[in-house]
Amino acid sequence: MEGKGEVFSMRQLNLMVRDAVEMHLPDEYWVEAELAECRESRGHCYMELVENDERTKTPVARASAKCWRQTWAVIEPHFVRVTGQPLHAGMKVLLRVYAQYHEAYGFSWIVTDIDPTFTIGDLARRRAEIIAQLKQEGVFDLQKGLRLPVFCQRIAIISSATAAGYGDFCRQLEENDYGFVFHTELFNATMQGEQTEQSIINALNEIYAKSAARPSPSALHEAPSALPEPPFDCVVIIRGGGATADMSGFDTLLLAENVAQFPLPIITGIGHDRDECILDMVSHRRVKTPTAAAALLIEHLGTTYHQLETARQRIATAAQHQLADSQAALTTLAQRIPILFKLVKTREDNRLDRSGERIRQAIERQLTANRHRLALAEERIRLLDPQLLLARGYSITLLNGHALTDATQAHAGDEIETRLAKGTLHAVVK
């Protein structure tokens, strides 16, 4: 050991460091830092503090911090009550600390207080930045432009399967006073803690994949008119029964972008009474609780039912009025029919009488004409009567019963008959 001076043990050296720390850092100090890690164990809180470069976002300082059980039991409830959420990684905080160096465990800052108003300001600033970016991207109000389908009955639910709020939501839908039937499908997700953001995004991706599914080309060829409808009318993101203060997972840019640009209307009911989170702001509709989300869907379908019922009553009333008008018209027509029949009968009788008179006159004219023609014919026949010629001295010679007009027609020995006005002569040709 010669020439090396005094040699210390590790414990001795660390005790010297502890004495130096206690001597030169005897006070408590307020420090701004970001929580790289925050966890509880046996009632104590263990933190990893970090300061990042504003430009590169890389750590430029890092230290461990602890908050002992007695202090943490007071600080933590007060912080949650004021900020609306618990301490978690990524949060900026203002801590009051004092330095402690332990010869066995090394250096750490011991937390004696946390200023929640500093965190509120930082959260508000970060939320404002996220909202400004969403508006700059033009997606902040996209969901507001969507409309719930008139018959909104097929509901995709994003929630934890074990959450009390999920059961309350389904029960309220099933037991609605109208007797409406809703078809629901759960997409299980983590609804609190650091996994909230990615878990909800994964559920949205699964819903989108189901909604965007299309039939195969062969199926379309076989039944081109039987295109399937999208399986869901809207999405409901609900949460209940968990730590109502743990809302940090709903205030992230990535989740807001996914919700804002989702093609189906999204209703949020994540069970909190404080100011809206960013998820609420970009959704189609925001309600406070899962049961309020169920009531909204029931009321929406109830509005459709009342509109249909009103339309049905109007149609029935219009049909009754039309039927009454038709019956009145038929009654009036039935009353007019005997009068019209009598008028028609009289007109037809007169027409028949006139027609009968015209026919009778035509028949009489025809009979008169026929009588005249018959009289002329009788006169002509009478004038052609051979008896008149015989009375004038003419005679008719017959040969074999036929009038003989040429002497060469008779031969010697033929017997001929000569008729006179009075009597007949028989002779033989010589």
Side-chain angles (χ1 to χ4, degrees):
M1 307 295 291
E2 184 178 354
K4 294 185 179 180
E6 186 179 358
V7 177
F8 299 93
S9 68
M10 176 62 71
R11 184 173 184 277
Q12 288 174 325
L13 190 60
N14 284 355
L15 287 172
M16 291 172 62
V17 173
R18 186 183 71 178
D19 292 340
V21 169
E22 291 176 353
M23 180 180 298
H24 294 285
L25 295 172
D27 301 322
E28 293 187 351
Y29 308 94
W30 285 100
V31 58
E32 296 179 12
E34 181 177 323
L35 294 177
E37 182 181 344
C38 183
R39 60 184 178 84
E40 288 188 45
S41 178
R42 298 181 180 179
H44 309 297
C45 181
Y46 297 89
M47 310 174 193
E48 185 72 19
L49 306 181
V50 66
E51 179 181 347
N52 293 320
D53 183 89
E54 289 293 335
R55 183 175 59 85
T56 64
K57 303 301 181 183
T58 57
V60 295
R62 184 183 294 270
S64 296
K66 302 179 181 69
C67 187
W68 303 125
R69 180 188 296 115
Q70 294 83 354
T71 306
W72 182 247
V74 176
I75 290 177
E76 194 270 343
H78 176 66
F79 185 88
V80 169
R81 192 163 50 249
V82 175
T83 64
Q85 55 186 288
L87 287 162
H88 59 81
M91 180 178 284
K92 284 191 175 182
V93 290
L94 180 61
L95 309 167
R96 188 168 68 180
V97 298
Y98 65 87
Q100 183 182 76
Y101 188 88
H102 192 280
E103 60 272 16
Y105 303 110
F107 179 85
S108 65
W109 294 102
I110 305 302
V111 178
T112 60
D113 198 5
I114 302 176
D115 184 358
T117 59
F118 174 85
T119 302
I120 288 176
D122 182 68
L123 292 174
R125 178 185 59 78
R126 292 177 58 185
R127 291 178 70 209
E129 290 174 353
I130 293 174
I131 292 170
Q133 183 170 344
L134 292 171
K135 290 182 177 179
Q136 184 178 1
E137 293 172 358
V139 301
F140 187 79
D141 292 318
L142 286 181
Q143 276 279 319
K144 301 300 188 293
L146 300 179
R147 297 184 63 182
L148 285 175
V150 175
F151 296 96
C152 188
Q153 295 173 274
R154 300 168 299 175
I155 316 300
I157 305 171
I158 298 178
S159 180
S160 170
T162 59
Y166 169 63
D168 293 340
F169 175 84
C170 293
R171 186 161 47 253
Q172 180 135 342
L173 283 186
E174 293 171 0
E175 297 174 357
N176 68 87
D177 294 337
Y178 293 96
F180 296 147
V181 176
F182 291 89
H183 305 281
T184 62
E185 183 173 347
L186 173 66
F187 293 83
N188 195 37
T190 300
M191 301 304 289
Q192 63 183 23
E194 296 180 2
Q195 300 301 318
T196 299
E197 176 192 71
Q198 193 56 51
S199 184
I200 295 176
I201 291 174
N202 291 342
L204 287 172
N205 290 338
E206 188 177 350
I207 294 169
Y208 179 79
K210 282 197 171 186
S211 299
R214 291 290 182 268
S216 64
S218 59
L220 288 175
H221 179 72
E222 294 172 0
S225 61
L227 292 175
E229 294 184 358
F232 305 112
D233 297 317
C234 74
V235 178
V236 174
I237 301 177
I238 54 177
R239 172 183 182 271
T244 58
D246 190 4
M247 304 297 298
S248 58
F250 305 108
D251 271 332
T252 69
L253 175 63
L254 186 59
L255 177 58
E257 288 175 332
N258 276 266
V259 169
Q261 300 178 80
F262 201 75
L264 295 177
I266 294 179
I267 299 170
T268 58
I270 53 181
H272 63 99
D273 295 322
R274 69 179 183 88
D275 294 338
E276 289 180 306
C277 62
I278 295 177
L279 176 64
D280 288 329
M281 294 178 184
V282 299
S283 66
H284 176 72
R285 291 285 296 275
R286 175 251 179 170
V287 293
K288 287 186 177 182
T289 62
T291 53
L296 171 65
L297 292 171
I298 295 169
E299 180 183 358
H300 176 77
L301 196 56
T303 299
T304 300
Y305 170 78
H306 289 306
Q307 290 173 344
L308 290 175
E309 183 63 19
T310 300
R312 185 194 66 78
Q313 293 176 355
R314 288 178 178 174
I315 292 173
T317 301
Q320 290 174 351
H321 290 166
Q322 184 65 38
L323 182 60
D325 292 343
S326 299
Q327 288 176 339
L330 286 174
T331 300
T332 302
L333 184 60
Q335 294 172 347
R336 293 180 58 192
I337 284 176
I339 300 174
L340 292 174
F341 178 78
K342 186 175 182 179
L343 291 175
V344 171
K345 181 177 182 300
T346 301
R347 184 169 62 249
E348 291 300 313
D349 287 345
N350 292 334
R351 188 176 66 80
L352 288 174
D353 289 343
R354 289 193 298 271
S355 297
E357 180 62 23
R358 287 195 297 271
I359 292 172
R360 186 185 62 77
Q361 293 175 355
I363 292 174
E364 288 182 353
R365 287 194 298 271
Q366 186 65 36
L367 288 175
T368 300
N370 289 339
R371 288 193 191 99
H372 179 67
R373 284 195 296 273
L374 182 60
L376 292 177
E378 288 177 347
E379 182 62 20
R380 285 195 296 273
I381 291 172
R382 189 184 65 77
L383 293 176
L384 293 176
D385 187 356
Q387 195 65 32
L388 294 177
L389 294 175
L390 294 176
R392 295 177 183 173
Y394 294 96
S395 64
I396 299 174
T397 300
L398 304 175
L399 175 64
N400 297 328
H402 299 285
L404 189 62
T405 58
D406 187 351
T408 60
Q409 294 176 340
H411 303 284
D414 290 339
E415 184 176 351
I416 59 175
E417 178 182 347
T418 300
R419 291 183 181 179
L420 303 173
K422 294 181 180 180
T424 302
L425 297 175
H426 295 275
V428 176
V429 179
K430 290 183 179 182

